[in-house]
Amino acid sequence: MGEVKVIGASLSSFCCRIEWALKLKGVEYEYIKEDLRNKSPILLQYNPVHKKIPVLVHNGKPVAESLVILEYIDETWQENPLLPKDPLEKSTARFWARFVDEKCIVSAWDACRAEEHEKERAVESAQESLGMIDKLIEGKKFFGGETIGFLDLVVGSLPNWLKFLEELGGIKLVDAEKFPSFHEWSKKFVEIPIIKEKIPMPDDLINYFTTSGLAKTIRGSALANNK
Amino acid sequence: MADEVVLVDTWVSMFGMRVRIALAEKGIKYEYKEEDLCNKSKLLLKINPIYKKIPVLIHNGKPVCESLIIVQYIDEVWNDRSPLMPSDPYPRACARFWADFVDKRVYDVAKKVWTTKGEEQEAAKKEFIEAFQILERQLGDHPYFGGERFGFVDLSLIPFYSWFYAYETFGNFSIEAECPKIIAWAKRCLQKDSVASTLPDEKKVYECVVQMRKRFGVE
């Protein structure tokens, strides 16, 4: 159903959501790799407002912002639906997707970057958000129920990113005892072939951050301090 | 079965106004509960325990939070009249993108215009104008962001117009001088009953902001 391109970067937790969604729906696409340190004319053309990845380009028309793209994909290719049909359930999925992006990811980064005297509180705050995600998946196979859904794709790379942030910041955010349901879900999720193909790995993230010198810019970075 | 619709909100909130405009567009009757954000009610803490924020829509006892999520919910449930979103996927994605732009690039910087001073305020004013100039370019020659019809993006942005007088007074600048098309668009939106009956008087908003600045210790 037309020409599909994804402009992305392999370590981005936002980009892999898009590729997973397209693969789950059996949509063929061309992947255009972007170097975020040297943004290409194509990215600036297709996302002049934010200049960020991912961008989906469908028949020459760009869509930006990962949650917007996911809904566009779900509405355009209707096989293997990602969002529930019921308006209340859909609202709930949208709510938790925003929570993951605005609270979980942000608070995990804050904990990683916190100065020594603020670290404990920052870690507690990050764990409070993760606790809510753990409760959400309790007793369920996937966030989407019996099959992978919208929220599974949104939460998707969080476990690997958390492992990376733990090492970068010298902190402990997740453990199987504290968040058993989240731990169970993440073990299963990362092994699904479509997911495994395109998930950012903690070692690759560490490698990128240390070789690019970005680790040194992170305050409180255990890695930066050890180098 | 009659629908029971309750909106927990506060009169001056631009997020709450979005929901009130949506409800008015659809002609939905609802009970309005004004919330005192300095003294949050047990009800609010129960229906939005995660963020403890307004607006919250309660439909037949079930709460929905976050203004843009609520507006889409309203559009999907009462889908037999006055559509707020376009029907095709691509225009829908564009509408969601631009409403998200308003949340990400307008709200925080607008708040800085009335809560900061000096260099920080100047930087905020510059960013504020830049965001509205981007929106002006997006509007182009169309009467509304939705094209020929008032829609999701218009509804997401128009509540900020009731705060313009406050921004201009505290920021000492004219939004009309920088973004005349936005002002023309806003006046066009105000011709709609749903908008005119929802947006509070700009002087009342200003008085409220004066009080908020005292509380935040901005003076």
Side-chain angles (χ1 to χ4, degrees), chain A residues 49-50 61-65 68 71-72 75-76 87-88 90-91 94-96 98-99 102-103 132, chain B residues 50-51 62-66 69 72-73 76-77 89-90 92-93 96-98 100-101 103-105 134:
Chain A
V49 174
H50 298 307
K61 293 193 184 152
V63 185
E65 294 299 298
V68 175
E71 292 217 38
Y72 175 78
E75 288 173 3
T76 304
L88 185 65
K90 206 184 269 198
S91 300
R94 285 173 176 149
F95 174 89
W96 285 108
R98 279 188 70 151
F99 179 84
E102 288 171 11
K103 288 277 182 191
M132 296 187 196
Chain B
I50 310 286
Y51 293 113
K62 305 250 171 80
V64 185
C65 306
E66 296 295 295
I69 293 176
Q72 289 181 87
Y73 174 82
E76 287 158 15
V77 171
Y90 189 71
R92 285 165 74 83
R96 287 182 179 125
F97 174 87
W98 286 105
D100 177 72
F101 177 90
D103 275 1
K104 286 196 168 104
R105 297 270 288 262
I134 291 173

Side-chain angles (χ1 to χ4, degrees), chain B residues 14-199:
Chain B
M14 58 278 269
F15 302 108
M17 287 178 222
R18 289 170 170 175
V19 180
R20 281 177 260 150
I21 294 171
L23 291 166
E25 281 287 302
K26 300 274 188 180
I28 296 164
K29 290 199 169 22
Y30 62 99
E31 182 192 343
Y32 180 86
K33 284 189 193 282
E34 177 74 18
E35 187 68 30
D36 174 4
L37 295 178
C38 298
N39 186 17
K40 291 178 181 180
S41 69
K42 284 203 186 91
L43 174 66
L44 180 60
L45 302 180
K46 178 176 154 212
I47 57 180
N48 190 358
I50 310 286
Y51 293 113
K52 306 172 180 54
K53 284 183 178 178
I54 52 88
V56 183
L57 188 83
I58 315 176
H59 181 209
N60 294 331
K62 305 250 171 80
V64 185
C65 306
E66 296 295 295
S67 65
L68 297 181
I69 293 176
I70 299 171
V71 170
Q72 289 181 87
Y73 174 82
I74 289 170
D75 203 36
E76 287 158 15
V77 171
W78 288 275
N79 58 9
D80 56 343
R81 63 192 101 152
S82 305
L84 301 170
M85 289 281 275
S87 48
D88 287 337
Y90 189 71
R92 285 165 74 83
C94 294
R96 287 182 179 125
F97 174 87
W98 286 105
D100 177 72
F101 177 90
V102 174
D103 275 1
K104 286 196 168 104
R105 297 270 288 262
V106 175
Y107 178 70
D108 285 333
V109 76
K111 191 169 177 182
K112 284 195 180 147
V113 170
W114 64 269
T115 55
T116 64
K117 290 191 278 210
E119 262 177 49
E120 209 182 337
Q121 193 190 43
E122 287 307 307
K125 277 160 62 177
K126 186 163 172 272
E127 244 188 274
F128 179 96
I129 292 297
E130 269 166 17
F132 274 97
Q133 283 170 341
I134 291 173
L135 286 163
E136 251 192 352
R137 283 197 291 277
Q138 178 56 25
L139 180 66
D141 293 322
H142 298 118
Y144 301 104
F145 286 93
E148 293 306 308
R149 297 188 56 219
F150 180 88
F152 189 64
V153 181
D154 304 278
L155 178 159
S156 304
L157 185 61
I158 191 61
F160 286 83
Y161 183 67
S162 64
W163 281 65
F164 275 14
Y165 178 73
Y167 298 143
E168 287 175 321
T169 309
F170 290 116
N172 190 29
F173 70 129
S174 160
I175 299 171
E176 182 155 23
E178 307 282 352
C179 305
K181 274 189 175 171
I182 289 291
I183 302 300
W185 159 84
K187 291 181 175 162
R188 196 176 298 127
C189 290
L190 272 164
Q191 284 168 17
K192 290 180 67 61
D193 284 338
S194 58
V195 177
S197 64
T198 296
L199 260 57

